[in-house]
Amino acid sequence: MLLDPTAWLLLILLGGLVAVDGTSVGQFMISRPFVAAALAGWAVGDPIHGMVIGLVLEAFHLTVLPVGAARYPEGGPAAVAGGAIYAVSDLAASTLLVTVLLVLLLEWVGGETIRLMRQGNIGLVAEERPGWKTAAALERRHLTAIGLDFARGMLLVIAGILLLWAGHRFVLPRWGMGEDVPQVVLTALVAGLLASSVRLVGLRGWFAAAGAICGVGLLLFSI
């Protein structure tokens, strides 16, 4: 499960990029868990299995609406860490389940760092100093806030990769339920989450959900 220096660099930069994509810059949707995990898998040489865990994580975020000052789990940096670590693992269903659970914890931590960053941004804007009311000073503060968000994403990816590595190192060897239980749990979770998101698109979405659920079941049971 060792990552080479090039992969580390790509993943850390990707973490910063998906962090700012969430709200600060662009919002090109690369911070969506499916995209972020697929890119992380590509960075370590296995985009397909990055997509596998990204699909599971995306199902948890279909009904998350990051509107205004709402508190919500942050999927981007956590998905980068999860996609990378799962893609270089043994790819077993139990590994996928443990990785998903740890990534969900990382998403909660990421959401808390967003709340703290918002409070810091308020202080950054409200602080009064001589000459701070010029356009150039405002631009510097804006860029500072973006830079802090980028650094936050990088730190989350570093911490996330280390946490997931520790989880695989110490939790998986003690796993005693085989691979059938994780497959059933993952399939049921994703199917339920997809079905619950249908209310966002109306009755016709049931046809899309049914097809997605069948596809997810086939995919997860083939792991």
Side-chain angles (χ1 to χ4, degrees):
M1 196 180 291
L2 295 177
L3 299 176
D4 60 64
T6 301
W8 267 106
L9 178 61
L10 288 174
L11 292 170
I12 292 171
L13 292 176
L14 180 59
L17 187 61
V18 299
V20 298
D21 179 73
T23 54
S24 300
V25 178
Q27 298 186 27
F28 298 115
M29 305 302 283
I30 61 172
S31 55
R32 294 300 304 183
F34 178 78
V35 180
L39 290 173
W42 167 80
V44 298
D46 190 353
I48 298 300
H49 285 94
M51 289 187 220
V52 169
I53 188 171
L55 186 150
V56 178
L57 296 172
E58 186 68 36
F60 283 91
H61 279 262
L62 288 176
T63 56
V64 174
L65 300 176
V67 178
R71 296 176 65 175
Y72 54 88
E74 184 187 27
V80 170
I85 292 298
Y86 178 67
V88 297
S89 70
D90 60 7
L91 306 177
S94 57
T95 303
L96 178 58
L97 179 59
V98 170
T99 305
V100 167
L101 293 176
L102 291 174
V103 169
L104 293 177
L105 173 62
L106 286 171
E107 290 182 359
W108 178 83
V109 173
E112 287 299 300
T113 64
I114 288 178
R115 181 179 63 83
L116 294 174
M117 184 188 67
R118 287 172 176 168
Q119 294 175 349
N121 287 343
I122 292 172
L124 183 65
V125 172
E127 186 176 357
E128 289 292 341
R129 292 184 184 179
W132 273 45
K133 292 185 178 180
T134 65
L138 179 60
E139 182 179 2
R140 285 196 299 272
R141 281 185 278 180
H142 184 201
L143 292 175
T144 298
I146 293 174
L148 291 173
D149 196 13
F150 195 93
R152 181 186 65 83
M154 291 193 296
L155 291 174
L156 283 172
V157 166
I158 294 172
I161 288 175
L162 294 176
L163 174 64
L164 291 171
W165 176 84
H168 286 199
R169 176 72 172 79
F170 298 106
V171 175
L172 288 175
R174 294 167 175 79
W175 184 267
M177 291 188 288
E179 301 301 325
D180 292 338
V181 172
Q183 286 179 335
V184 172
V185 170
L186 286 166
T187 303
L189 273 175
V190 176
L193 291 166
L194 289 175
S196 69
S197 67
V198 171
R199 59 187 173 83
L200 299 177
V201 294
L203 182 61
R204 287 180 295 179
W206 281 106
F207 295 101
I213 289 169
C214 292
V216 167
L218 290 172
L219 175 64
L220 294 179
F221 273 100
S222 67
I223 295 176

